[in-house]
Amino acid sequence: MRIPPDHPRAESLETREKLIEQYAKGVVTQAGLIAHGRGEAFDYLLGEKTTSSALKAIRAGAAAMLLAQKPVISVNGNVAALVAEDIVKLSQVTEAKIEVNLFYRSPERERAIGKSLKKAGAGKILGIGKNASARIQELSSERRRVDPTGIYVADVVLVPLEDGDRTQALEKMGKKVIAVDLNPLSRTAQEASITIVDNIVRAAPRLTLAAEELKNEDQKKCQLILAKFNNRKNLNESITLINKRLTKLATHQKGFTLSGKTLEL
Ligand code: PTJ
């Protein structure tokens, strides 16, 4: 459906349209549409923009990917539908492998997602068909099936729009997990090493930009960014932001401060 460009919520409606189109192509699953709705609700509460806390997490995520020996970007249906091109660019800048990993796995969806990643310019794509032959023992969902040359041996894994259990399992395996999740309360957000509380549509291009910038710097700069980053504190800032935004909206106050800075609503 054509969304009128002057509609006050045109951007959000266009994102929905993309997901609906990709659902028809078999890329997105029905539950993916519902998951997006949950994300939208949190985005609304966060003000539908990349917060300063998210920007800090994005820089830390880019630094972690650049410092990694074997970084992997895990792609599911929603990610392929919304940011396939950004993911390909990010993989090129950070030299990360791309692996398809699905909760609702089927050969048809693997193929459809592989096709849309190829169309976006991806080279080798891991985790499709027989290549997902390794198993994450702690998991019983289809997410346990991983590529022995990808997620299984990765030291850093980017997991946008995750469903919880796997982040915990990957962290237990000694991997650093970078999550992108609009819900700062989700298990994934709480368990990841670096949690980017932002919409994947905004976070993915910003991650690439941050990686491009940091790639030209000394490795020590990335190490310093990581050493200074505190995920717990960062997550708490997002929760506080939602809380303060709601309080302000409820009481019609004009502005508020967080960590000594005045934040815009
Ligand atoms: O493609 P599949 O088969 O792997 O399935 C993908 C879904 C997303 C259906 C599956 O992973 C799932 O069920 O996920 P959950 O448990 O619903 O979690 C998804 C999380 O992503 C929720 O915490 C949402 O708030 C969040 N989310 C949804 N849309 C966005 C988002 N976070 C960032 N950007 C979004 N656009």
Side-chain angles (χ1 to χ4, degrees), residues 89-260:
K89 265 191 230 153
L90 179 64
S91 79
Q92 287 162 350
V93 179
T94 59
E95 290 167 39
K97 292 180 177 173
I98 297 180
E99 177 163 345
V100 174
N101 183 277
L102 304 175
F103 189 77
Y104 301 95
R105 200 184 259 275
S106 72
E108 294 75 25
R109 286 195 67 222
E110 287 176 359
R111 275 197 296 276
I113 291 167
K115 205 171 141 190
S116 75
L117 287 167
K118 284 270 173 207
K119 201 174 153 203
K124 195 170 179 197
I125 302 166
L126 307 181
I128 295 183
K130 286 190 195 128
N131 292 333
S133 59
R135 298 287 178 268
I136 298 177
Q137 294 306 334
E138 286 93 339
L139 287 181
S140 50
S141 77
E142 279 297 285
R143 282 213 190 276
R144 75 188 183 284
R145 295 171 52 184
V146 292
D147 197 302
T149 64
I151 289 173
Y152 197 71
V153 291
D155 51 351
V156 172
V157 190
L158 175 68
V159 292
L161 272 79
E162 181 69 7
D163 63 290
D165 293 356
R166 192 172 57 133
T167 298
Q168 232 167 344
L170 293 176
E171 290 271 350
K172 262 193 203 156
M173 287 169 84
K175 302 174 195 301
K176 197 186 274 287
V177 173
I178 307 165
V180 183
D181 193 331
L182 278 162
N183 177 3
L185 306 169
S186 77
R187 263 181 315 145
T188 297
Q190 294 286 326
E191 296 290 336
S193 298
I194 299 172
T195 309
I196 301 168
V197 180
D198 197 12
N199 197 320
I200 188 66
V201 173
R202 295 188 299 266
R206 283 193 161 94
L207 251 176
T208 309
L209 275 178
E212 273 169 350
E213 186 208 312
L214 290 173
K215 206 177 173 173
N216 300 320
E217 302 276 351
D218 198 289
Q219 268 209 350
K220 278 190 185 141
K221 174 134 188 190
C222 288
Q223 284 160 351
L224 195 68
I225 289 172
L226 274 187
K228 278 187 175 169
F229 182 75
N230 180 330
N231 203 46
R232 176 56 44 207
K233 187 169 165 269
N234 201 263
L235 263 176
N236 289 347
E237 279 183 14
S238 292
I239 298 168
T240 306
L241 175 69
I242 291 176
N243 189 11
K244 292 205 171 182
R245 247 178 76 77
L246 288 177
T247 306
K248 191 200 159 197
L249 292 171
T251 56
H252 305 289
Q253 292 167 18
K254 270 205 165 157
F256 63 85
T257 54
L258 181 64
S259 309

